[in-house]
Amino acid sequence: MKMTVKEFLIRFRPLLGLLILAVIVSLLSPRFLTVSNILNVLRQTSINAVMAAGMTFVILTGGIDLSVGSILAICGAVAAFMIANGFDPYISIATTLLLGTVLGAFAGVIITKGKVQPFIATLVAMTLLRGATLVFTDGRPISTGFDEASDVFSWFGTGYILGVPVPVFIMLLVFAVSYYILKYTRFGRYVYAVGGNEEASRLSGVRVNRVKTAVYAISGLLSALAGIIITARLSSAQPTAGAGYELDAIAAVVLGGTSLAGGVGTIFGTLIGALIIGILNNALNLMNVSSYYQMIAKGAVILIAVLMDRKK
Amino acid sequence: MTKTPLLEMKNITKTFPGVKALDNVFLRIFAGGVMALLGENGAGKSTLMKILSGVYTKDSGEILYNGKPLTVRDPKDAQNKGIAIIHQELNLIPELTVSENIFLGREPVNSFGKIKYSEMNSLAAEYLGRLGEKTSPSEKVASLSVGQAQMVEIAKALSMNAEVIIMDEPTDSLTDVETENLFKVINELKNDGKALVYISHKLSEVFEVCDRATILRDGTFVDEKPVSELDEESIIQLMVGRPLLERYPRSECRLGEIIFEAEGMTNQLVRDISFQVRRGEVVGIAGLMGSGRSEVAKTIFGVLPLISGEMRLEGKQLKVSHPADAISEGISYVSEDRKQLGLILGMTIKENITLPALKKYQNAFRHVSYDKETETSQEYIKKMSIKTTGPSQKVVNLSGGNQQKVAIAKGVVTEPKVLILDEPTRGVDVGAKKEIYELINLLKADGMGIILISSELPEILGMSDRILVMSGGRIAGEIVKADATQEKIMALAISGLTQTA
């Protein structure tokens, strides 16, 4: 397919934004463009990026998931608890992922069968699960301990393959699989269709409730995965982990050009969006900007990006 | 009657990505006159009117109003300058009341900024009254029928006291009585010296209310003539560029065995519906709006529950609780509302067409084959002469008639045994209508059973083998083709009505 320059620019605007940001940052801070710093940025981005991938599925159907940060926290706590109590690390991980999926699916059922708005349903889930995490951990961090199982587990957060951090591989795998699902499977097409027009999709034989439940399950699964990465990295689970992460995940999706109204967007865009946020955080740290001003800077950049995206 | 026009559009050109929608088009609108704007779907009528009402901006050309150049920045600006448009799509806010919708943005307020509801409601009632519409001004628009909502839309245009009023397919969803009331109002407006533009595919209406007609074809200006110098044939010839031989090209087809059967089908909206459809048969369902026609279709398709009674497909009991069940059993439904219920406007033609049958396009690894999808949609684009830049064009950028063809293609792509067409030619021009009828002929020759729901009696009479007439949620009677007349259908359609119709 032939593309004009203008169409090309519109299509790859998020990528262009990322490149411009990278150039500016590398000019401002010489330490930015070093291999170790780039790997560092990628690893720091991976947690938000993995959650944002799940969020992309949800937002494409026209929904929203505010519970991701709380799912991350409770799943991280459960994983740490299991490791500390001598469970096999792989069984612990599988159980944690299953828990995240079930929690997400449960929110999906409340939304579809209970006909509750996604914002409200996931807001409730966010509050409930945060409370549950605090009860479960008694408000204290859970350490994974120092045995062999703990070492195996912590590899998922701290390990390297060919010099590249494991979380970065996990992130790339998540995006590759998500890309395939959204672009080439029937389910992926249904996700876009439901976001485009729910009623017309139903009349076209799409089982809308199943699709919607599934996207929240996916979001829950990937939040659990993010919880595992963060817990493995710190060798302990914090009861307040992931608080506010839902907003970073949503910001990544929106920066990537996905419409909050549903039906339009790409997973590739979300990866770019997550990287923009990651680089921004990193750059502000490198430049020793105080964390108070960091928030202002981050808000301003997101605002500019979203305003630019309006002008099509 | 020959005088200078109140408003004149000259050499209007408008290009969309990939398409020249309008090329040097002219339009003159006279005070005290009704100008018909005619053309096939995609001829550029709606685009031209959207330019006049400020929705689109023109690429070149000029607009003269009272002889002076006029620029229209946006729809609000057009309203302020005395140009009101009644859009084909309803632009009302469902959760607001009738009067709130009519006066949206122009609410009468007291000095504290509080809306004067009683004044607003009585004014709204007055405008509705002129249209012979009894809807209460304090009722929510969401609870109105499509026809009533259309009348509210017309009342809104009246309330603006505009000098130029554009009506885009205003009677599409109106009943005959409502249409007559509208025509009375149009004549009053004419006598008041207002200038009107009337867009319609129903040529009989053009002869009834219009004085002059402007004809467009493929985005170009063809001719402007007094209606008295035209007849249906010459208009069609100007619109299509060639004579159209037959309006309803129904072909004879041997009827096969019974394929679908309903017995005592009952739920909240329809009662005791029993009928049969044979292979190769077109069963028409006529009736007034709200008589339960679409509800019968939706029950068969699994959208509405079946509370008692039975349905059988090829002799076997049919149980459907979701449209997906109906589709996999071999039933398709093409909805009357292509924008809300039929199509996913933001998706491409091919994504829309293959959506109900996506399973067929998967290969190993559950991979959807884009090539196969493109191939299928190209077939339909050719078979149904859909005017498009290609299978990857977004449906939202197609004209109404071409959108309808995509909606019908969606119904056919699953290769159903029974196809239900609900108002398949609403808002579609004569040329495209004929193509849809020809497709019906092809499908029934393949042994499909077709249920045709329509408000257009000539269409029902022209295309059906048998006609069921519904009234008040029941089948009021059945007429075989040989005995059917418009009068008989209407008599049955109003037979079951009490005063509260």
Side-chain angles (χ1 to χ4, degrees):
Chain A
M1 255 207 339
K2 268 193 287 187
M3 228 189 277
T4 64
V5 177
K6 197 175 157 202
E7 277 169 339
F8 179 85
L9 285 180
I10 286 175
R11 183 125 181 240
F12 293 103
R13 184 157 37 193
L15 183 61
L16 226 63
L18 175 70
L19 291 176
I20 292 170
L21 181 68
V23 169
I24 294 174
V25 171
S26 52
L27 289 176
L28 288 175
S29 168
R31 273 193 298 153
F32 177 74
L33 266 188
T34 56
V35 174
S36 69
N37 187 55
I38 296 288
L39 289 179
N40 191 24
V41 170
L42 288 174
R43 188 178 55 209
Q44 283 168 352
T45 302
S46 64
I47 289 163
N48 182 31
V50 165
M51 289 167 84
M55 189 69 79
T56 309
F57 281 83
V58 173
I59 290 181
L60 281 175
T61 64
I64 194 96
D65 189 353
L66 301 179
S67 67
V68 289
S70 295
I71 292 182
L72 175 149
I74 196 155
C75 288
V78 167
F81 176 82
M82 287 182 78
I83 300 288
N85 285 280
F87 282 90
D88 177 82
Y90 295 101
I91 288 179
S92 306
I93 288 172
T95 310
T96 307
L97 294 177
L98 183 67
L99 175 67
T101 311
V102 170
L103 291 174
F106 186 68
V109 171
I110 302 286
I111 289 162
T112 53
K113 294 285 170 195
K115 296 190 174 24
V116 178
Q117 299 231 339
F119 187 95
I120 302 298
T122 58
L123 181 70
V124 168
M126 170 171 116
T127 315
L128 279 177
L129 293 175
R130 179 64 64 191
T133 311
L134 289 167
V135 170
F136 180 66
T137 60
D138 207 8
R140 286 191 290 264
I142 300 179
S143 164
T144 55
F146 300 97
D147 56 1
E148 202 181 318
S150 163
D151 289 345
V152 174
F153 180 72
S154 70
W155 179 78
F156 288 94
T158 57
Y160 287 85
I161 301 173
L162 304 169
V164 177
V166 174
V168 176
F169 278 103
I170 296 177
M171 170 177 84
L172 294 177
L173 184 70
V174 164
F175 277 86
V177 172
S178 301
Y179 176 80
Y180 183 81
I181 290 175
L182 284 174
K183 196 163 167 75
Y184 291 112
T185 69
R186 205 145 54 96
F187 172 72
R189 184 68 58 80
Y190 291 169
V191 167
Y192 282 98
V194 168
N197 185 338
E198 202 172 310
E199 268 314 292
S201 300
R202 203 157 71 91
L203 290 181
S204 303
V206 176
R207 296 196 186 266
V208 172
N209 284 356
R210 284 190 201 168
V211 172
K212 284 167 81 175
T213 306
V215 295
Y216 289 95
I218 290 172
S219 180
L221 168 73
L222 293 177
S223 304
L225 184 59
I228 288 169
I229 296 172
I230 206 168
T231 307
R233 171 133 186 82
L234 302 172
S235 287
S236 90
Q238 308 291 325
T240 54
Y245 281 25
E246 59 283 342
L247 297 181
D248 271 354
I250 293 167
V253 175
V254 172
L255 279 176
T258 296
S259 157
L260 280 177
V264 181
T266 64
I267 191 79
F268 179 67
T270 298
L271 181 60
I272 303 294
L275 286 172
I276 289 176
I277 294 175
I279 289 178
L280 203 59
N281 283 334
N282 178 256
L284 295 168
N285 279 332
L286 287 179
M287 289 183 278
N288 288 323
V289 176
S290 104
S291 65
Y292 300 167
Y293 285 102
Q294 282 196 15
M295 287 193 195
I296 295 175
K298 222 164 87 180
V301 168
I302 293 174
L303 179 66
I304 291 167
V306 174
L307 284 178
M308 272 170 61
D309 206 41
R310 293 262 123 231
K311 290 189 182 148
K312 291 226 157 141
Chain B
M1 172 83 219
T2 41
K3 47 191 171 178
T4 52
L6 176 68
L7 191 141
E8 203 170 358
M9 299 180 83
K10 280 180 170 174
N11 295 87
I12 303 290
T13 298
K14 173 79 186 169
T15 314
F16 290 116
V19 217
K20 199 160 203 178
L22 292 174
D23 189 4
N24 275 316
V25 170
F26 295 86
L27 178 70
R28 303 192 297 165
I29 312 172
F30 298 91
V34 183
M35 174 64 80
L37 183 56
L38 305 172
E40 288 189 277
N41 288 117
K45 302 169 306 230
S46 295
T47 310
L48 187 65
M49 290 304 100
K50 281 181 176 164
I51 287 174
L52 184 54
S53 60
V55 180
Y56 296 150
T57 48
K58 58 185 189 305
D59 295 344
S60 64
E62 65 174 337
I63 304 175
L64 295 175
Y65 190 39
N66 276 328
K68 285 186 283 276
L70 173 82
T71 48
V72 185
R73 283 194 309 276
D74 52 47
K76 183 83 195 164
D77 192 34
Q79 271 179 30
N80 294 340
K81 288 173 175 157
I83 300 166
I85 185 163
I86 301 162
H87 285 285
Q88 209 173 341
E89 312 86 37
L90 297 177
N91 284 312
L92 300 174
I93 299 166
E95 286 306 310
L96 294 183
T97 67
V98 169
S99 65
E100 283 167 343
N101 265 289
I102 292 177
F103 291 100
L104 191 64
R106 303 171 294 128
E107 295 84 353
V109 291
N110 69 14
S111 42
F112 293 108
K114 181 187 173 295
I115 295 174
K116 293 189 261 182
Y117 275 102
S118 54
E119 186 185 327
M120 198 163 89
N121 284 339
S122 65
L123 275 172
E126 197 185 310
Y127 290 116
L128 289 168
R130 268 179 83 181
L131 291 163
E133 183 62 52
K134 291 178 203 74
T135 317
S136 156
S138 53
E139 200 166 339
K140 273 190 184 173
V141 166
S143 62
L144 303 183
S145 72
V146 189
Q148 287 170 322
Q150 181 72 62
M151 292 308 251
V152 172
E153 186 87 52
I154 294 166
K156 185 175 175 177
L158 291 183
S159 74
M160 291 174 188
N161 290 318
E163 289 305 307
V164 178
I165 301 172
I166 303 157
M167 300 188 175
D168 194 352
E169 302 278 359
T171 61
D172 242 11
S173 43
L174 298 186
T175 63
D176 289 347
V177 182
E178 287 169 331
T179 303
E180 251 169 63
N181 284 332
L182 174 66
F183 288 171
K184 268 187 228 149
V185 173
I186 290 179
N187 280 322
E188 281 174 30
L189 291 169
K190 235 167 80 170
N191 294 337
D192 288 352
K194 310 282 187 197
L196 285 90
V197 179
Y198 194 87
I199 301 178
S200 180
H201 290 302
K202 296 177 188 159
L203 296 183
S204 57
E205 294 181 354
V206 171
F207 291 109
E208 197 167 340
V209 294
C210 302
D211 319 301
R212 300 181 70 82
T214 296
I215 295 121
L216 305 182
R217 183 166 70 225
D218 294 330
T220 57
F221 174 83
V222 178
D223 208 345
E224 189 218 279
K225 278 185 167 171
V227 167
S228 54
E229 290 173 22
L230 292 163
D231 57 19
E232 287 210 8
E233 228 141 286
S234 56
I235 291 181
I236 292 171
Q237 198 154 348
L238 288 169
M239 275 166 56
V240 203
R242 60 189 146 78
L244 204 65
L245 295 172
E246 227 183 325
R247 298 281 292 278
Y248 300 102
R250 178 176 176 278
S251 67
E252 283 303 328
C253 173
R254 271 257 305 274
L255 300 188
E257 72 271 27
I258 293 169
I259 189 159
F260 175 83
E261 215 173 337
E263 213 180 285
M265 199 166 91
T266 298
N267 59 26
Q268 293 95 330
L269 297 161
V270 296
R271 268 165 297 162
D272 203 19
I273 304 292
S274 302
F275 68 99
Q276 299 169 335
V277 183
R278 292 173 177 276
R279 282 184 186 281
E281 187 179 33
V282 176
V283 175
I285 302 186
L288 302 176
M289 235 179 296
S291 62
R293 296 172 311 183
S294 299
E295 286 71 18
V296 166
K298 286 179 175 169
T299 309
I300 299 173
F301 197 57
V303 179
L304 296 172
L306 181 68
I307 289 174
S308 69
E310 200 178 276
M311 298 188 282
R312 284 187 287 276
L313 188 69
E314 293 181 312
K316 281 188 300 252
Q317 201 189 353
L318 180 70
K319 285 211 153 113
V320 287
S321 56
H322 189 283
D325 300 332
I327 289 172
S328 63
E329 293 284 350
I331 297 170
S332 267
Y333 171 58
V334 178
S335 154
E336 60 185 319
D337 187 346
R338 61 176 167 260
K339 290 196 173 166
Q340 301 300 321
L341 305 174
L343 296 166
I344 295 159
L345 295 174
M347 286 184 131
T348 62
I349 293 178
K350 71 176 177 196
E351 286 167 337
N352 267 284
I353 290 180
T354 57
L355 188 63
L358 210 49
K359 225 179 239 170
K360 283 201 292 192
Y361 297 89
Q362 282 176 316
N363 54 21
F365 309 110
R366 303 183 142 218
H367 185 299
V368 175
S369 162
Y370 283 22
D371 292 346
K372 267 202 264 177
E373 281 189 286
T374 306
E375 205 179 295
T376 302
S377 34
Q378 259 157 356
E379 255 169 53
Y380 280 102
I381 288 171
K382 211 171 134 201
K383 194 155 133 192
M384 306 181 70
S385 13
I386 300 172
K387 269 185 215 154
T388 166
T389 55
S392 301
Q393 190 176 16
K394 284 193 178 168
V395 170
V396 69
N397 295 328
L398 297 179
S399 69
N402 286 305
Q403 285 181 349
Q404 183 64 24
K405 288 182 191 170
V406 175
I408 293 174
K410 270 184 72 186
V412 178
V413 72
T414 54
E415 296 171 356
K417 295 166 188 154
V418 177
L419 174 66
I420 309 170
L421 297 168
D422 197 349
E423 304 282 5
T425 64
R426 174 180 285 174
V428 165
D429 66 70
V430 274
K433 263 185 185 171
K434 199 176 165 198
E435 283 159 5
I436 291 171
Y437 298 143
E438 273 159 2
L439 182 76
I440 293 178
N441 284 335
L442 278 178
L443 296 173
K444 71 178 188 183
D446 283 348
M448 209 180 272
I450 294 171
I451 300 174
L452 173 67
I453 301 173
S454 178
S455 300
E456 269 188 63
L457 293 181
E459 173 173 296
I460 288 265
L461 288 166
M463 294 306 296
S464 316
D465 293 290
R466 213 146 44 85
I467 298 158
L468 307 174
V469 185
M470 291 200 61
S471 179
R474 295 172 184 275
I475 294 181
E478 184 179 327
I479 314 175
V480 291
K481 171 154 183 80
D483 308 337
T485 60
Q486 298 210 18
E487 291 71 24
K488 278 188 187 169
I489 294 178
M490 282 317 295
L492 282 171
I494 57 174
S495 64
L497 295 185
T498 51
Q499 296 107 309
T500 52

